Amino acid sequence: MQLLDHVSLTVPDLARARPFYHAIFNALGAVVVYDHADAIGYGERCERSQPGHSYLTVRASAAPLSADPGRHWCFKAASHAQVRAFHAAALAHGGEDDGPPGLRAHYHADYYAAFVRDPFGNRLEAVCHSETWA
C-alpha cells in the first residue's frame, strides 16, 4: 500500500534550498515536477491514469521552522549506492550529517540508511531495505 499522495515541507529561503534539494533528489533518481518562485515539486504527480504516483513539494514559508527531533522525512532509495549518493550530495550542498550511511540493524537486518539536516534544520533520511530492493 502506498499511503501518501503528496506532502510538503517548508524552508525560509527557497533560492538557497533549491541546489540542495535538486542534488539530493537527483541522487535518488527523482525528477523535478515543477519549479516555481515559491515551490519546487519532486517525484511523480498523481493523475487519473497514474494514481500510484507521489511527490514532495518544498515550499517557501515565512513562518518560523520548529525543530522537532521526532519529525523527519524519509525517502526510498533503490540501492545502498543511492543512499551514499544522497548523503554525499546533501553534505556537498550545505547539509549537515545526522547519521552516516550504514546498516541500522535495530530497525531490521537490511535497513541501510543515512540521515542529514538540510541547510535549515529539516531532518531527512534515505533508506534502502536491501541491496536488491527496487
Side-chain angles (χ1 to χ4, degrees):
M1 177 176 96
Q2 187 174 8
L3 185 60
L4 299 175
D5 183 90
H6 64 278
V7 295
S8 298
L9 63 84
T10 59
V11 296
D13 184 346
L14 193 60
R16 186 170 154 215
R18 184 173 277 107
F20 175 87
Y21 281 96
H22 279 3
I24 67 165
F25 286 122
N26 183 58
L28 294 174
V31 298
V32 176
V33 178
Y34 58 86
D35 191 341
H36 302 300
D38 63 342
I40 309 166
Y42 298 93
E44 298 173 310
R45 287 191 76 139
C46 291
E47 52 190 58
R48 177 182 266 166
S49 65
Q50 299 292 333
H53 288 177
S54 65
Y55 70 97
L56 176 128
T57 301
V58 179
R59 295 192 175 281
S61 175
L65 290 176
S66 66
D68 183 335
R71 183 182 60 235
H72 78 280
W73 305 89
C74 183
F75 308 110
K76 292 184 182 212
S79 66
H80 292 194
Q82 272 194 345
V83 171
R84 291 188 296 273
F86 161 88
H87 187 261
L91 299 184
H93 290 86
E96 293 182 23
D97 176 49
D98 204 33
L103 287 171
R104 305 298 196 277
H106 56 283
Y107 294 126
H108 67 70
D110 295 319
Y111 198 104
Y112 189 88
F115 296 85
V116 298
R117 298 268 178 185
D118 77 1
F120 311 101
N122 287 306
R123 189 166 193 245
L124 311 172
E125 174 186 2
V127 63
C128 176
H129 292 281
S130 76
E131 185 59 48
T132 58
W133 182 86

